[in-house]
Structure formats: structure tokens, C-alpha cells
């Protein structure tokens, strides 16, 4: 990634505000352990943040995908085991 590549990126301020509201509606325990969120907790979070349960589910899915991606990038040897054809690591 080039330096300054993100300065021209378009950011949806409303989406960021919704994400922040959803996260602030969670308890500290729920933030640390998002896997404990049951349907009733998601409903409470949605009503507390002024969003829908679908928005809460989207945020949780996005968080899960980001977490998996970061885990992949943290261990380059594991990435190499899955094949270098998918992603080449520079300077290896």
C-alpha cells in the first residue's frame, strides 16, 4: 500500500456513526466476547443504538471477517502453507 493511499478514500460518516452507536450500546463483556451475543442481547443493542438487528449482525460479521484476516497476516508461515499462489509475501 502506498503512503497516502487512504487520503482519497470515501468514508461514509453515517455508517461510522451507526457502528459507534452499536458498539457503545454493548456492555464491556459483550465487546470483549462478541460470541456471547444471543438474539435477545442483539435486540437490546439494536434498540439502544437506534439501529436494526440486521445492522448489529452485519457489524459482527464484519468484525469476525476482519479478525480472521488479521490472524492470517500475523502468521506468514501459515499463509505459506496454504499456498503462495493466493498471496505473495514480498521479501520472503
Amino acid at each position: 500500500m502506498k503512503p497516502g493511499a487512504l487520503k482519497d478514500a470515501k468514508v461514509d460518516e453515517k455508517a461510522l456513526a451507526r457502528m459507534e452507536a452499536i458498539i457503545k450500546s454493548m456492555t464491556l463483556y459483550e465487546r470483549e466476547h462478541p460470541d456471547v451475543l444471543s438474539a435477545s442481547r442483539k435486540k437490546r443493542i439494536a434498540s439502544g443504538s437506534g439501529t436494526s438487528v440486521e445492522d448489529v449482525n452485519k457489524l459482527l460479521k464484519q468484525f469476525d471477517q476482519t479478525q480472521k484476516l488479521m490472524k492470517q497476516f500475523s502468521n506468514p508461515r501459515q499463509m505459506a502453507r496454504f499456498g503462495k499462489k493466493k498471496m505473495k509475501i514480498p521479501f520472503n
Side-chain angles (χ1 to χ4, degrees), residues 3 12 16 19-20 24 27-28 42-43 55 67 78 84:
D12 186 6
L16 287 176
M19 289 167 127
E20 184 179 4
K24 285 185 175 182
T27 64
L28 182 61
K42 289 178 185 178
K43 190 174 177 181
D55 291 334
Q67 202 172 30
Q78 187 177 6
K84 290 188 178 185

Side-chain angles (χ1 to χ4, degrees), residues 21-22 24-26 41-51:
I22 291 170
K24 285 185 175 182
S25 295
M26 293 180 185
R41 288 182 185 222
K42 289 178 185 178
K43 190 174 177 181
R44 177 187 48 80
I45 292 167
S47 65
S49 63
T51 59

Side-chain angles (χ1 to χ4, degrees), residues 1 73 76 79-80 84 86-92:
M1 188 174 266
F73 282 125
M79 284 177 44
K84 290 188 178 185
K86 290 183 182 178
M87 180 180 293
K88 292 185 180 181
I89 303 171
F91 311 113
N92 265 358

Side-chain angles (χ1 to χ4, degrees), residues 5-6 9 12-13 15 17-18 21 27-28 52 59 61 66 74 76 78:
L6 292 178
D12 186 6
E13 296 293 329
R18 276 193 300 268
T27 64
L28 182 61
S52 66
L59 178 67
K61 186 173 182 177
T66 304
S74 69
Q78 187 177 6

